[in-house]
Amino acid sequence: MTILRFGAVVLLAALLSACGSMNVVSDGADSRLMLKGYDPVAYFTAGRPVKGDPAIKADHAGVTYRFSSAANRDSFLKDPVKYSPQYGGFCANGMVYAIPLGGDVDVFKIISGRLYMFGGTGSKIYFEMDQARNLKLADGYWESE
């Protein structure tokens, strides 16, 4: 049974990687919506996920971001690299193993001024156990894979 599960994870990872390098969903007119419509700037300013308004949005790097305010959209447009989630919004802990699995908008961490998403609390805790090593591994896989 374990071999079947491992095979399913590998197949899922291959399918996800074939879909592009961003963890996006489709919602209304936005076919490549990042962070499930949550405001990326709010993670920094409010310290929590805040749902974005479909009327206040911007496109960057082929995906759409929504914002809770025009001020947040303007901040994003001034420095989109600062506010964009790392690893295309995929789970940072998954990237430690070169597996682009979905990140949960409610589980995140800002590390050195960058936004990292996690698939769940357990993934975040495991990542934090050796954060420096895991960042190095994930960065390496993200850049090379």
Side-chain angles (χ1 to χ4, degrees), residues 29-113:
D30 301 320
S31 63
R32 292 184 48 81
L33 183 63
M34 188 59 115
L35 294 172
K36 298 179 183 173
Y38 281 77
D39 181 338
V41 177
Y43 287 98
F44 293 85
T45 59
R48 63 182 176 81
V50 176
K51 192 78 169 160
D53 183 335
I56 308 171
K57 58 187 175 180
D59 291 330
H60 173 70
V63 298
T64 302
Y65 290 88
R66 291 181 182 167
F67 303 91
S68 57
S69 69
N72 280 8
R73 180 190 57 209
D74 294 345
S75 293
F76 179 85
L77 290 172
K78 286 178 187 171
D79 193 356
V81 173
K82 173 183 178 178
Y83 296 108
S84 297
Q86 301 302 294
Y87 315 131
F90 291 110
C91 175
N93 195 54
M95 286 311 305
V96 171
Y97 304 98
I99 302 173
L101 298 174
D104 184 344
V105 295
D106 293 328
V107 185
F108 70 98
K109 184 172 184 178
I110 296 173
I111 304 169
S112 299

Side-chain angles (χ1 to χ4, degrees), residues 2 11 15 21 44 60 73 114 122 132 137 140-142:
T2 304
L11 177 61
L15 291 173
S21 61
F44 293 85
H60 173 70
R73 180 190 57 209
R114 299 284 185 229
L137 285 169
Y141 284 128
W142 183 252

